Amino acid sequence: MTSTPIAPNAHRVGYVPFPEADAAAHRAAGYWRGHPLDKLLRTAARLHPHRPALLDEVRAHSYAEIDGAADRMAHGLLALGIAPGDRVVVQLPNVPEFLTVLFGLLRAGIIPVLTLPAHRRAEIEHLAELSGAVAYIAADRVGDFDYRALAAEVRAAVPTLRHILVLGDPGPFTALNSVPREGGSLPEVDASDIALLLVSGGTTGLPKLIARTHDDYAYNATASAEICELTADDVYLASLPAAHNFPLACPGILGTVAVGGTVALLADPSPESAFAAIERHGVTVTGVVPPLAQLWCAATEWEQAELSSLRLLQVGGARLAEVNARAVTPALGATLQQVFGMAEGLINYTRLDDDPETIAISQGRPLSPADEVRVVDGDGNDVPPGAEGELLTKGPYTIRGYYRAPEHNARAFTADGYYRSGDLVRVLPGGHLVVSGRIKDVINRGGENVSCDELEEHLLAHPAVRHAAAVGLPDAALGEKVCAVLVVEEAMPTLAEVKGFLTARGLATYKLPDVLRRAETLPVTAVGKIDKRALREIHA
Ligand code: OOB
């Protein structure tokens, strides 16, 4: 193998930084503290080394223990030859190693690409390639899926990948637990630099990478912790995949670490296992997507569990129907907090002391006094107060551009730096937002965003398919289900056939169609684009 010259700033190629004047303002206002993200853990470990940082199914891990494990991971990764600024794809379930790997990478100045366990070849390959990743860290298997097989495929396709580190039985690869080691000094990390890369829900085509800095992400987590009134006595249960922005930093795992609280990790968010975890660990706060909230509420009818420790149930990721919002506190006893956030930045929360009506009908108001929110019509003009329009936003923790996506950025951001969220909202007099829909073409399937463009591309690759359109149809359990409308040459493939075809192409399970419909033609708009609204009406 030929060695490539070390390019210390290669990771910043294709990164869109905050303009210097805005960065200075965020520092002056105290939002950006100039501390590397891993300092959250370091500080907690100094202040209360013996407090439990992490609870898993087996035992408690103290702050000192996690802090030490993160140090050893950092030294081990550097010793392998992974350098500060390098990107590493991380695909781990909710296990303690998620935390030691994350903090180990942050400490070494290595940039994690935080993918979800449900991602498959199409996504992992794309993200590894786009980020130029040098390593991939995954579990051996989860359920009946073997990530080592995925690793082999990804390594064959992405030449930059030099290391495959596996948690558990490594097969032909390197065991993650053989990596940690003692070491001397760790690199200086610049807090204004990229800390980690989140994966977008995907609005068009394949998922995008979202570069979050140490400064902005630390602010996201600590300011969120403050709004949720988290203290060292709280036990936060990560029931959603830890690599997602919501359980990671809103306030989630990082916000809990920031206050020296305890994180409980859950691999399976079913009511049986979640309720048992809440009872066993005395969980005080957790976050779920709306379908799970609904399921948990219903399950209180048949599950005998002591849930009185739970003081706050956060629900976000997709619109929570008002009727379901009203059911939360009576069923679970906890205060409801609606959370409307995005990996790109802006997070809205209902406040703990908002009146119950506002909590039931709104998706919260911005986290930061410095968040700027505009609501605009199709021509980009501000709508009158209270009217519906697209949410545009910028602020101290909202990106100014996707990572390595200049063409898409020209459309997704305004010239003066606002992110076009694609979400349709209206603003209530008190500043709370009500989300009414999306202009961007994604299906929100139980909180997972399915990109229509991406799914359509894969559908079109099927030999029988001439035209394909993906639309979301209303679904009582999921919010939206994935409907693929196909115009076919001859025989219509069955749903099972189409799912098999897409799975073989490496598409994640949650993106597979739930229903298939045949059409003679697809309706189009005046300029010839497929008219999704009409399609939805036809097939609903
Ligand atoms: C969260 O982040 P992403 O990046 O997976 O998805 C963002 C999109 C938003 O643009 C919006 O379309 C939708 O998901 N969404 C909601 C919502 N929360 C997110 N739509 C309606 N009501 C809500 N409460 O999903 C996310 C990130 C941080 C915290 C919470 C959720």
Side-chain angles (χ1 to χ4, degrees):
M1 203 155 115
T2 58
S3 69
T4 41
I6 294 170
N9 280 317
H11 66 285
R12 290 182 72 91
V13 173
Y15 169 62
V16 185
F18 288 85
E20 207 31 69
D22 294 24
H26 299 326
R27 284 187 195 105
Y31 303 130
W32 293 4
R33 301 278 172 83
H35 301 314
L37 196 50
D38 85 276
K39 197 176 176 204
L40 300 179
L41 174 62
R42 190 68 92 204
T43 305
R46 286 229 170 93
L47 292 177
H48 15 240
H50 306 302
R51 284 192 79 98
L54 206 59
L55 306 172
D56 63 15
E57 252 104 275
V58 192
R59 65 186 188 96
H61 307 251
S62 71
Y63 269 101
E65 206 181 311
I66 298 293
D67 189 55
D71 272 343
R72 287 189 296 280
M73 187 61 75
H75 289 297
L77 292 164
L78 291 168
L80 282 178
I82 305 176
D86 280 349
R87 280 76 59 209
V88 169
V89 175
V90 176
Q91 189 176 28
L92 290 173
N94 289 7
V95 291
E97 289 80 1
F98 178 89
L99 237 77
T100 48
V101 166
L102 174 65
F103 278 105
L105 288 163
L106 290 170
R107 247 167 219 183
I110 302 166
I111 302 171
V113 180
L114 295 178
T115 66
L116 305 178
H119 285 133
R120 292 293 178 261
R121 195 184 73 226
E123 294 89 5
I124 299 297
E125 228 170 80
H126 166 72
L127 295 168
E129 209 155 64
L130 180 61
S131 64
V134 301
Y136 171 59
I137 302 180
D140 49 3
R141 49 191 315 134
V142 174
D144 55 10
F145 187 77
D146 192 330
Y147 289 89
R148 292 162 300 190
L150 175 57
E153 291 180 317
V154 175
R155 184 163 71 173
V158 183
T160 55
L161 274 184
R162 296 189 311 240
H163 305 279
I164 310 279
L165 306 175
V166 178
L167 173 63
D169 172 1
F173 305 113
T174 307
L176 182 65
N177 65 15
S178 70
V179 169
R181 64 182 59 205
E182 304 297 329
S185 61
L186 290 168
E188 284 275 325
V189 171
D190 175 355
S192 67
D193 208 342
I194 302 168
L196 47 84
L197 292 161
L198 296 173
V199 174
S200 77
T203 54
T204 50
L206 285 157
K208 308 242 159 358
L209 285 171
I210 294 167
R212 304 291 300 261
T213 65
H214 294 268
D215 272 329
D216 95 67
Y217 215 49
Y219 175 58
N220 188 325
T222 53
S224 294
E226 210 168 295
I227 278 177
C228 295
E229 298 174 13
L230 282 191
T231 71
D233 294 326
D234 274 301
V235 180
Y236 173 84
L237 179 71
S239 3
L240 298 172
H244 190 273
N245 189 35
F246 184 13
L248 185 58
C250 304
I253 295 170
L254 296 178
T256 303
V257 168
V259 300
T262 303
V263 174
L265 292 169
L266 191 66
D268 154 35
S270 70
E272 305 78 68
S273 87
F275 288 4
I278 292 168
E279 183 171 331
R280 180 154 32 108
H281 300 314
V283 170
T284 58
V285 180
T286 190
V288 293
V289 291
L292 214 49
Q294 239 178 301
L295 191 61
W296 285 17
C297 287
T300 56
E301 300 280 325
W302 65 83
E303 290 289 331
Q304 294 304 316
E306 177 54 53
L307 303 177
S308 59
S309 61
L310 192 67
R311 66 169 177 90
L312 185 65
L313 183 74
Q314 304 183 286
V315 184
R319 172 77 195 254
L320 177 65
E322 201 182 307
V323 44
N324 297 325
R326 292 189 194 281
V328 167
T329 304
L332 298 164
T335 300
L336 167 67
Q337 179 179 60
Q338 295 216 36
V339 187
F340 163 41
M342 50 207 75
E344 288 81 358
L346 179 72
I347 311 289
N348 302 277
Y349 294 103
T350 56
R351 301 308 200 257
L352 304 196
D353 60 354
D354 278 342
D355 62 275
E357 202 51 29
T358 304
I359 294 177
I361 64 161
S362 88
Q363 279 66 55
R365 63 182 170 83
L367 165 64
S368 173
D371 281 320
E372 295 178 50
V373 162
R374 288 179 59 200
V375 183
V376 302
D377 63 21
D379 299 322
N381 300 314
D382 292 279
V383 299
E388 185 190 83
E390 185 189 3
L391 167 70
L392 307 188
T393 187
K394 74 175 164 185
Y397 61 99
T398 296
I399 55 165
R400 296 306 181 100
Y402 291 99
Y403 190 62
R404 301 186 172 172
E407 278 163 38
H408 183 66
N409 286 340
R411 279 172 279 132
F413 293 81
T414 66
D416 55 350
Y418 284 87
Y419 168 56
R420 297 186 211 268
S421 72
D423 293 317
L424 289 170
V425 302
R426 59 196 171 80
V427 183
L428 301 178
H432 285 68
L433 307 183
V434 176
V435 184
S436 45
R438 293 186 302 283
I439 62 165
K440 58 190 182 185
D441 205 11
V442 296
I443 299 166
N444 194 319
R445 186 181 188 279
E448 300 272 21
N449 291 337
V450 180
S451 156
C452 294
D453 280 24
E454 183 193 0
L455 177 54
E456 286 159 15
E457 271 197 35
H458 285 287
L459 288 165
L460 284 169
H462 190 288
V465 174
R466 189 188 299 175
H467 301 295
V471 289
L473 299 183
D475 182 87
L478 294 166
E480 280 187 308
K481 63 184 170 188
V482 179
C483 170
V485 184
L486 304 180
V487 178
V488 293
E489 298 284 353
E490 299 146 14
M492 180 75 174
T494 65
L495 180 60
E497 262 171 60
V498 170
K499 283 184 170 180
F501 174 77
L502 297 171
T503 303
R505 291 178 62 79
L507 207 62
T509 310
Y510 68 84
K511 296 180 183 172
L512 302 177
D514 297 295
V515 286
L516 217 53
R517 298 278 167 77
R518 182 180 187 161
E520 290 311 309
T521 56
L522 298 179
V524 292
T525 65
V527 289
K529 291 191 202 176
I530 293 171
D531 189 342
K532 289 292 178 74
R533 183 174 299 211
L535 257 183
R536 270 192 293 272
E537 279 164 14
I538 296 165
H539 292 279

